[in-house]
């Protein structure tokens, strides 16, 4: 008598899945495996399949076990007979993958055409870019985002060249000196009083000097999450109800202020200022002396995924993922 055949067990319980799901190739579906356990990349046409490794049903595929008689354990992903497609006068078979142009990869699925965009890496410039443009690059299929800074000051111009050479542009001249002032650096602290710096040659000697100002992104002692509206995940700007006085080493500002602060998010986004100015605040000390300090005054903030260390020198090379993430 033949020995009884033991069917191979492809599923194992309890489920043991990797911490993060796999990254599938473009156009390949991420599905739950046949064991109803883990996310996996679906098997494609002609690939082997089992009770655990399922075929891509989004492409109209099923596991054909007919070639594995009598065990019926390992099959091959085959196409369910269906209706073909017609696109721009060209006929495609059901399940056939094609590229009508360089920007899209498409699949015929039972009479319907589904397409995946190929141009997915182009991201808009930083939010402070005044004139972002999507332009066609020579030799490339996908358009690229660029920042049209034609109206900005040409900071690399030689000092001896006349401004007439750049007709139509606004050059800042001062005693044969092209004035250059860098943006303020991020605040050194995410909450409480910190320092922000910049480099500028806007002085009589046209010398690059470091300037400093105080900054306060948000108060450390206030739980801003309590002020987020129901149904929202972020509060872009927080403002205290009552005016307050700035304090430095026991010296108090002569007048009270009611500043705006950047808020917080309950998801992975962080809120940073994108509109601010510098104000001069006069302080009075207990011994009667007075002094002035420049302080950052926040006008508006946005919440985004570009969260980073304030001292990250490569931060300005980053791009935001999408304009939609700025929404509160």
């Amino acid at each position: 008598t033949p020995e009884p055949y033991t069917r191979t067990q492809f599923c194992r319980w309890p489920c043991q899945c990797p911490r993060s799901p796999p990254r599938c190739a473009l156009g390949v579906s991420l599905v739950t495996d046949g064991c109803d356990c883990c996310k996996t990349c679906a098997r494609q046409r002609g690939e082997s399949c089992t009770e655990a490794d399922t075929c891509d049903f989004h492409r109209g595929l099923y596991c054909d076990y007919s070639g594995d008689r009598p065990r019926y354990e390992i099959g091959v992903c085959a196409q369910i007979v269906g209706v073909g497609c017609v696109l721009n006068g060209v006929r495609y078979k059901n399940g056939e993958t094609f590229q009508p142009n360089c920007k899209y990869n498409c699949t015929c699925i039972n009479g319907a055409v589904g397409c995946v965009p190929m141009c997915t890496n182009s991201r808009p410039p930083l939010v402070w870019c005044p004139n972002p443009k999507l332009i066609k690059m020579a030799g490339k299929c996908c358009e690229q985002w660029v920042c049209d800074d034609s109206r900005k000051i040409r900071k690399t111009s030689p000092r001896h060249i006349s401004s007439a050479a750049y007709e139509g542009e606004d050059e800042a001249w001062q005693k044969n000196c092209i004035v250059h002032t860098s943006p303020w650096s991020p605040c050194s602290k995410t909450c409480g009083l910190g320092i922000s710096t910049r480099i500028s040659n806007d002085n009589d000697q046209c010398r690059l000097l470091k300037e400093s100002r105080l900054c306060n992104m948000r108060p450390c002692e206030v739980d801003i999450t309590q002020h987020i509206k129901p149904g929202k995940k972020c509060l872009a700007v927080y403002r205290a109800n009552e005016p307050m006085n700035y304090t430095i080493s026991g010296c108090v500002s002569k007048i009270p202020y009611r500043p705006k602060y950047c808020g917080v998010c309950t998801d992975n986004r962080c809120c940073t200022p994108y509109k601010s100015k510098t104000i001069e605040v006069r302080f009075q000390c207990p011994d009667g002396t007075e002094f002035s300090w420049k302080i950052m005054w926040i006008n508006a903030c946005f919440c985004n995924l570009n969260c980073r260390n304030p001292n990250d020198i490569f931060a300005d090379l980053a791009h935001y993922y999408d304009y939609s993430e700025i929404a509160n």
Side-chain angles (χ1 to χ4, degrees), residues 16-31:
Q16 293 183 353
C17 304
R19 289 187 176 181
S20 57
R23 298 190 66 177
C24 304
L26 192 66
V28 175
S29 302
L30 180 67
V31 298

Side-chain angles (χ1 to χ4, degrees), residues 38-58:
C38 310
K39 292 293 184 180
T40 182
C41 296
R43 297 301 176 98
Q44 300 303 301
R45 186 173 182 175
E47 294 180 347
S48 60
C49 50
T50 64
E51 63 177 355
D53 299 321
T54 56
C55 299
D56 198 337
F57 56 87
H58 292 126

